[in-house]
Amino acid sequence: MSIVIDENKRTALEAIFPVSIAETECSHRIKPVVIFNCMQDLAARSINHYDYRYGCEGLAEEGRGWYIIRYRVEFDDYPLDVKELKIRTESRGVQRMTAFRDFEVFDNSTGKRILKAASSWFVVDLESKSVINIQQEYPEFLRYEKREDDLTLAKLKSVEDFDNEKIFHVRYDDLDINNHVNNTVYINWALEALDYEFRSSHSLKTLDIYFKHEVKYGDDIVSKVRIDKENLVTEHVILNAATAEEVCLLRAEHVTN
């Protein structure tokens, strides 16, 4: 998978993001959530670049917003001491309810690719929470066409028999412009259930995420994880503590540093 930037096309966009010391772990690796925040920022810029009507502000005028549903992320090699990220994203178009978007992330100083990713998105009515049929409501939106080298968005299933769990409280600072918890916060909740020894001695290799339900300000969240230390695979379930409803599933493959 490779994203080509063509100034004559509006579907792809590239930007450079500086990385501060506060965004780097003690092992000198960039924090995963920082990468995802930058990807989300560029996705917002890109959809507005494609057409204002489909951008965050354009949809907000109609009482609608973008919700990410799935991620598939494959890391090439987790680099050290990254000072700038160069990120490319491409809108792959829509198929009925679902819009698809690809990403590539590079270490800007070396040109080395950090990861490639695929994602799927819904447009949601912010009041009723109903999913909009994008293809029907916005017939001029680019149609999705599959490519041979596309990443596969996994259909994650829940797991049981967890090894660790942590409880989190939804803070005001966890909310985004749609007044629901930002998707990167779920990633933080999931990874925080891993212990310090595991986190500090391993890096992400792949990541599959399924965002199932939103949570609200003031909710309590339980993040649970099952760890396969032999195969370095972790499976995560995030629950609403009050209702036991699954709000996010995540599966990660890791490599030893």
Side-chain angles (χ1 to χ4, degrees):
M1 186 188 85
S2 180
I3 297 174
V4 177
I5 302 299
D6 185 342
E7 293 182 358
N8 295 318
K9 294 183 178 180
R10 294 176 294 131
T11 55
L13 194 65
E14 177 182 280
I16 295 173
F17 297 84
V19 179
S20 70
I21 293 177
E23 295 171 322
T24 304
E25 298 177 350
C26 57
S27 58
H28 292 252
R29 296 173 299 173
I30 185 171
K31 297 175 181 178
V33 70
V34 173
I35 301 175
F36 286 98
N37 273 326
C38 294
M39 288 165 60
Q40 179 176 281
D41 181 89
L42 186 59
R45 294 194 219 176
S46 177
I47 196 64
N48 194 64
H49 175 72
Y50 176 62
D51 193 314
Y52 175 82
R53 292 175 299 168
Y54 312 135
C56 296
E57 293 182 4
L59 287 180
E61 292 172 2
E62 300 179 359
R64 296 173 175 178
W66 287 103
Y67 278 43
I68 188 166
I69 305 303
R70 298 184 191 273
Y71 258 131
R72 167 67 181 181
V73 186
E74 297 182 1
F75 290 83
D76 295 335
D77 186 20
Y78 218 106
L80 300 175
D81 298 311
V82 177
K83 299 298 188 295
E84 288 183 326
L85 296 173
K86 179 167 70 176
I87 303 181
R88 295 171 181 166
T89 188
E90 180 183 6
S91 174
R92 294 291 307 282
V94 302
Q95 189 173 57
R96 297 185 63 197
M97 302 285 195
T98 309
F100 298 91
R101 175 170 294 279
D102 291 345
F103 297 90
E104 285 186 298
V105 180
F106 301 84
D107 180 340
N108 192 47
S109 63
T110 65
K112 189 174 183 179
R113 191 173 70 178
I114 296 173
L115 66 83
K116 57 184 177 180
S119 60
S120 64
W121 304 68
F122 286 161
V123 171
V124 175
D125 184 292
L126 298 178
E127 183 175 351
S128 68
K129 305 303 180 184
S130 60
V131 178
I132 305 300
N133 187 318
I134 307 173
Q135 189 169 321
Q136 179 177 305
E137 293 280 327
Y138 306 102
E140 296 179 359
F141 204 106
L142 176 72
R143 293 290 181 268
Y144 171 75
E145 293 184 6
K146 187 172 177 58
R147 299 170 183 166
E148 289 186 3
D149 59 351
D150 281 343
L151 301 183
T152 300
L153 294 166
K155 295 182 179 180
L156 298 180
K157 296 182 180 180
S158 187
V159 296
E160 298 178 350
D161 302 322
F162 300 100
D163 297 300
N164 195 25
E165 67 177 56
K166 280 192 175 182
I167 297 176
F168 298 92
H169 188 71
V170 178
R171 309 167 305 164
Y172 182 84
D173 286 344
D174 294 329
L175 306 179
D176 63 13
I177 61 173
N178 292 328
N179 203 36
H180 74 277
V181 173
N182 188 287
N183 70 81
T184 60
V185 176
Y186 293 84
I187 300 170
N188 254 345
W189 287 338
L191 296 179
E192 275 294 320
L194 296 169
D195 59 66
Y196 176 87
E197 182 179 353
F198 189 94
R199 285 289 301 278
S200 61
S201 59
H202 296 85
S203 297
L204 289 170
K205 180 181 179 182
T206 68
L207 197 60
D208 290 290
I209 312 171
Y210 175 26
F211 301 97
K212 298 183 67 175
H213 298 285
E214 67 175 348
V215 292
K216 300 178 180 179
Y217 172 73
D219 286 346
D220 287 322
I221 299 302
V222 183
S223 175
K224 299 186 177 186
V225 61
R226 183 169 71 181
I227 306 171
D228 180 347
K229 292 187 177 180
E230 181 178 353
N231 295 304
L232 297 182
V233 173
T234 59
E235 295 175 281
H236 306 253
V237 177
I238 299 175
L239 306 167
N240 185 311
T243 65
E245 179 182 53
E246 292 181 354
V247 297
C248 183
L249 302 178
L250 186 148
R251 183 184 186 275
E253 296 177 338
H254 307 259
V255 293
T256 305
N257 294 338

